[in-house]
Amino acid sequence: SQQGEEDPQALSIQEGENATMNCSYKTSINNLQWYRQNSGRGLVHLILIRSNEREKHSGRLRVTLDTSKKSSSLLITASRAADTASYFCATEEGEFGQGTRLTINP
Amino acid sequence: NAGVTQTPKFQVLKTGQSMTLQCAQDMNHEYMSWYRQDPGMGLRLIHYSVGAGITDQGEVPNGYNVSRSTTEDFPLRLLSAAPSQTSVYFCASSYSKTRGVNYGYTFGSGTRLTVV
């Protein structure tokens, strides 16, 4: 079963806009992780947020976590064409969602 | 530092054939795992290992075997390939002795397998 479920499944925006992806999970967690997958490549770890954190930043990435709602969001600000990829959330148990496919249009 | 190395990158098998997908990591990670990725299905865990000599089943283990004789290597064996096993397979590792706690996963670049 998939613990992390991303929403939306696909997102297409213009370069320079912000992109927001959401993730819901089912069980208690110690941390939630976000990954990026470029087409035909493996997943790359982006950011990890612990259960006692509400928000975390890394460059143009901002992740929030609401453990009461069992949900997280990933915000990419000032998007670039190179951000085109699929984004996945995952619990520390290694359970991944189906991902959000993000397309940045020039 | 190579990270997680998977071989081969591509493979075509006939139904009923067997083969081994190789995975090696050079980061001294305790935890290693195998996933398959199918369109619209996300990543599904096949097998995992929390250390040398210890393996366990994930969500979709049927038709696959694993072993962990060393910390570095975690091969995945397809016993008798079926078209339903056509997929992209990823190996992942993590430093922690428990699944992914604190550090996250490092993935290989994948093996694209087609069974005809």
Side-chain angles (χ1 to χ4, degrees):
Chain A
S1 63
Q2 298 292 317
Q3 283 286 357
E5 297 293 339
E6 289 88 350
D7 169 59
Q9 292 189 350
L11 179 62
S12 181
I13 61 174
Q14 295 300 118
E15 195 167 18
E17 295 180 337
N18 296 340
T20 299
M21 289 157 273
N22 302 298
C23 165
S24 61
Y25 57 93
K26 298 177 182 176
T27 61
S28 297
I29 58 169
N30 292 309
N31 67 63
L32 194 82
Q33 303 159 22
W34 284 89
Y35 292 79
R36 182 187 72 233
Q37 183 181 34
N38 291 95
S39 180
R41 309 293 293 272
L43 280 75
V44 174
H45 184 260
L46 292 176
I47 192 166
L48 180 153
I49 185 165
R50 302 186 196 285
S51 59
N52 61 352
E53 298 175 310
R54 291 295 170 259
E55 187 171 307
K56 194 165 184 178
H57 296 255
S58 177
R60 295 184 295 112
L61 304 181
R62 189 189 87 164
V63 170
T64 61
L65 180 65
D66 187 335
T67 53
S68 67
K69 295 181 179 178
K70 291 187 168 58
S71 67
S72 175
S73 67
L74 171 67
L75 169 67
I76 303 174
T77 61
S79 63
R80 306 167 181 169
D83 295 328
T84 293
S86 292
Y87 293 82
F88 296 84
C89 67
T91 68
E92 77 269 20
E93 292 295 311
E95 290 159 322
F96 288 76
Q98 295 183 13
T100 292
R101 191 170 59 255
L102 176 64
T103 302
I104 309 299
N105 302 304
Chain B
N1 191 336
V4 178
T5 302
Q6 288 185 239
T7 57
K9 293 190 183 303
F10 302 94
Q11 182 72 48
V12 178
L13 287 178
K14 293 182 179 179
T15 298
Q17 288 185 317
S18 62
M19 79 159 294
T20 300
L21 279 64
Q22 302 291 344
C23 175
Q25 53 89 10
D26 61 358
M27 299 170 286
N28 201 31
H29 282 177
E30 293 278 354
Y31 179 81
M32 297 185 73
S33 56
W34 278 101
Y35 291 88
R36 59 178 291 172
Q37 185 177 34
D38 303 292
M41 299 291 290
L43 279 83
R44 291 183 291 170
L45 183 64
I46 304 172
H47 285 285
Y48 65 95
S49 169
V50 298
I54 305 169
T55 64
D56 207 346
Q57 296 180 351
E59 182 185 356
V60 288
N62 293 340
Y64 308 94
N65 273 357
V66 292
S67 60
R68 185 95 180 268
S69 56
T70 67
T71 300
E72 294 79 19
D73 300 299
F74 191 45
L76 177 72
R77 281 182 285 277
L78 278 69
L79 309 173
S80 177
S84 61
Q85 294 179 304
T86 293
S87 187
V88 181
Y89 291 84
F90 288 99
C91 180
S93 71
S94 172
Y95 176 78
S96 176
K97 288 186 178 181
T98 58
R99 299 194 218 182
V101 174
N102 295 330
Y103 292 97
Y105 297 90
T106 301
F107 279 80
S109 58
T111 295
R112 188 174 296 273
L113 175 69
T114 301
V115 183
V116 297

